[in-house]
Amino acid sequence: MKLPGGIRTTLAVALLLIVGGALGGAYLMVVPSLERRLVDDRLDELQRDGLELAGAYSTRDFSQPFALDNFVATFALVYNARTVVYQVFGPSPFMLRPLADSGVTGRSVSDDRIALETARSTQLTRGRVQRAGRPYAEIAVPLVTTGNVLLLSAPIEDQLATVRVVKRRLLYATGVALAIAAILGSTAAALHARRIRRLERAANRIAEGKFDQPVVDHGDDELGQLAAAFERMRVQLAQLDTARKEFVANASHELRTPLFSLGGFLELMSDEDLDEETRAGFLATTREQVERLTRLSADLLDLSRIDAGRFHVESEEVVLPDVARAVVDELAPLAESSGHMLSLETEPDAWALADEERVLQVGRALVANAIAHTPRGTEVVVRASAEDGRAVLSVTDNGPGIPPEHVERIFDRFYRVEGPQASGSGLGLAIARELAERMGGSVGVATRPSRTTFTLSLPAVAAVPEAVHVSS
């Protein structure tokens, strides 16, 4: 059942139930046990007195007139209890006739159930009875010498009055405690409800894509921790949203540039006055733009698969020297056409546990990056080696190096260092890093003037197979 007023009412009612339940439990534990203890104490006292009186009865001579009446009256004053000696008629049904009764003005006790029980069982009997609406504690003792029954009866109104006082005070305390609990619970619940509503509004803002307002809660409890988690989520979502917008803008720009170029060249090629040499140049440029679009679309497809978690990599033994040689052979024409010197250095024990196709893709990206961002005449060295229990594929060039302010961002998507050699979409290194991480490796860079090294570090194969010879 949903309570009106939301969490404020729920918390207040819950606190009232807890306090009320605790006090009710205390009432049930204290009041009955106190009443039972007081009545039992009075019965224990009457039992001691009754046994003492029965012993005195057995030693007395009651042949004189009024001797028994005087005996009963005397001990009634001593014990502060009504004292009755019954003659028993039986055997069944048992009947009692008072022989002496200190309660001359009291009500008849000829049918007292405690005394009748002792007459039937000839055993000491004790209990609590109601007579004329008043409570009494009674003890009945069999008088063995005569077969009679001795009864001591004392009112317990004072004891029960004490219990009633305790009961009233507990009820007053319960009322006060419930009132305080209602006030404190309502106040505390209102404060928590206000904090929860702030978190609700913050969550709604985040759900609407508004990340400008921070989620603030200065409490150090669970709500404060939840607010801190909301704030971390807001910051991350804001970063992701910014990255998404930048990604869309950059991708649109990268796609638009070659498309506009293609459109312009196609329009120029439709001119019938173009000579064959110019037309051939336009065709070559158009082919380059198509290749650029193809590479860009492939990179975007890889990124989308990586982000969607649908990019699968294998885990197999990869001979890094063979991969390095394949990369050098594939990109040698590109290096030659751009005036770069591409060379290879390998070690035979450089075996990695990775996906060979993805290692090739990373190697191509690193070599192509070195060729694209260094001037003509730069030497690019591809090296496959084993270092500190890792299989390493590195690409080193003796170009001008990377400015320090750009080193931390060169692996970001669409990020490019502006300069005379800047080119490409800015996705190659970003994809290389993603692929390396999914193979359990990493991509790093170390740069200084005249020497820049990009390194792909991968898990090494535990034992390199023998009889494998790789020449460098």
Side-chain angles (χ1 to χ4, degrees):
M1 181 180 66
K2 183 178 180 181
L3 294 175
I7 192 171
R8 177 176 179 177
T9 303
T10 302
L11 289 177
V13 171
L15 184 59
L16 286 175
L17 290 176
I18 292 172
V19 173
L23 291 174
Y27 178 90
L28 293 177
M29 291 176 62
V30 171
V31 173
S33 63
L34 177 62
E35 181 176 343
R36 186 166 53 251
R37 174 70 63 83
L38 292 174
V39 173
D40 287 344
D41 288 346
R42 185 59 175 137
L43 287 172
D44 291 340
E45 184 181 356
L46 289 176
Q47 182 173 333
R48 289 191 299 270
D49 295 341
L51 293 175
E52 181 181 355
L53 184 57
Y57 180 88
S58 63
T59 61
R60 294 294 181 91
D61 180 12
F62 297 108
S63 59
Q64 297 297 324
F66 304 109
L68 182 58
D69 291 333
N70 293 332
F71 175 82
V72 168
T74 300
F75 279 98
L77 293 175
V78 173
Y79 298 140
N80 192 27
R82 183 176 183 177
T83 306
V84 184
V85 176
Y86 295 96
Q87 183 180 11
V88 180
F89 297 92
S92 181
F94 288 96
M95 297 181 63
L96 301 174
R97 181 172 70 85
L99 296 178
D101 186 355
S102 64
V104 179
T105 60
R107 293 179 178 272
S108 173
V109 290
S110 59
D111 58 349
D112 186 89
R113 67 177 183 84
I114 301 297
L116 285 172
E117 179 62 28
T118 297
R120 283 193 294 266
S121 64
T122 67
Q123 301 291 329
L124 185 147
T125 306
R126 53 187 281 172
R128 174 179 170 179
V129 298
Q130 288 285 127
R131 188 179 303 117
R134 298 181 63 192
Y136 292 86
E138 292 187 348
I139 178 74
V141 182
L143 299 174
V144 181
T145 56
T146 61
N148 295 335
V149 172
L150 171 65
L151 176 72
L152 293 181
S153 178
I156 52 175
E157 288 179 331
D158 292 342
Q159 288 83 355
L160 297 183
T162 301
V163 174
R164 285 194 294 272
V165 170
V166 173
K167 188 183 299 186
R168 282 195 302 271
R169 290 182 178 177
L170 273 176
L171 290 176
Y172 294 153
T174 299
V176 173
L178 288 176
I180 295 174
I183 296 172
L184 295 180
S186 179
T187 303
L191 293 175
H192 280 76
R194 189 177 301 116
R195 295 170 65 191
I196 292 173
R197 282 195 293 271
R198 284 202 302 266
L199 290 179
E200 180 185 6
R201 290 193 294 270
N204 289 332
R205 288 197 306 271
I206 293 173
E208 294 170 359
K210 301 176 182 177
F211 309 111
D212 53 329
Q213 297 184 26
V215 182
V216 179
D217 189 290
H218 300 292
D220 57 356
D221 55 2
E222 287 79 2
L223 283 179
Q225 296 171 5
L226 179 62
F230 269 50
E231 175 61 13
R232 291 193 298 270
M233 179 183 70
R234 182 194 69 83
V235 172
Q236 292 176 359
L237 288 176
Q239 293 173 349
L240 288 175
D241 187 62
T242 301
R244 177 186 62 82
K245 292 177 180 178
E246 291 179 354
F247 181 86
V248 172
N250 290 330
S252 300
H253 174 74
E254 292 296 329
L255 288 171
R256 184 171 62 249
T257 300
L259 287 175
F260 283 172
S261 296
L262 285 173
F265 282 117
L266 289 175
E267 185 176 351
L268 290 173
M269 289 172 63
S270 64
D271 188 354
E272 297 180 357
D273 296 334
L274 281 179
D275 57 82
E276 288 301 322
E277 183 179 356
T278 304
R279 190 183 301 273
F282 285 172
L283 282 174
T285 305
T286 302
R287 189 178 298 109
E288 291 176 0
Q289 295 299 327
V290 170
E291 292 175 356
R292 180 180 177 184
L293 278 175
T294 302
R295 290 193 301 270
L296 180 59
S297 62
D299 289 344
L300 291 174
L301 180 60
D302 286 343
L303 284 177
S304 65
R305 288 175 177 173
I306 290 172
D307 291 338
R310 296 197 300 266
F311 200 92
H312 180 68
V313 294
E314 300 290 343
S315 182
E316 57 189 1
E317 294 181 355
V318 178
V319 185
L320 276 189
D322 291 347
V323 173
R325 180 173 293 101
V327 171
V328 169
D329 292 343
E330 180 180 342
L331 296 180
L334 175 63
E336 183 178 356
S337 65
S338 61
H340 289 75
M341 294 174 288
L342 187 59
S343 60
L344 174 66
E345 296 178 6
T346 62
E347 295 178 3
D349 56 349
W351 284 58
L353 194 63
D355 187 321
E356 184 171 356
E357 288 298 322
R358 302 308 172 190
V359 176
L360 276 168
Q361 186 175 351
V362 175
R364 291 191 200 100
L366 297 181
V367 174
N369 180 76
I371 294 173
H373 293 84
T374 55
R376 295 176 65 87
T378 300
E379 182 182 8
V380 179
V381 180
V382 180
R383 181 179 294 107
S385 60
E387 300 176 9
D388 298 327
R390 304 282 289 181
V392 177
L393 178 68
S394 62
V395 177
T396 303
D397 66 74
N398 60 356
I402 304 172
E405 65 271 15
H406 296 290
V407 172
E408 295 296 327
R409 297 197 58 193
I410 57 175
F411 292 103
D412 293 348
R413 298 179 183 184
F414 292 107
Y415 187 79
R416 292 179 297 185
V417 179
E418 298 299 331
Q421 281 80 38
S423 63
S425 64
L427 293 177
L429 293 181
I431 295 175
R433 181 182 61 180
E434 297 282 355
L435 292 177
E437 291 176 352
R438 276 159 177 74
M439 291 186 291
S442 62
V443 172
V445 61
T447 182
R448 67 173 188 266
S450 301
R451 184 177 179 85
T452 298
T453 301
F454 283 87
T455 303
L456 169 63
S457 176
L458 295 168
V461 176
V464 177
E466 296 181 358
V468 175
H469 177 70
V470 181
S471 60
S472 60

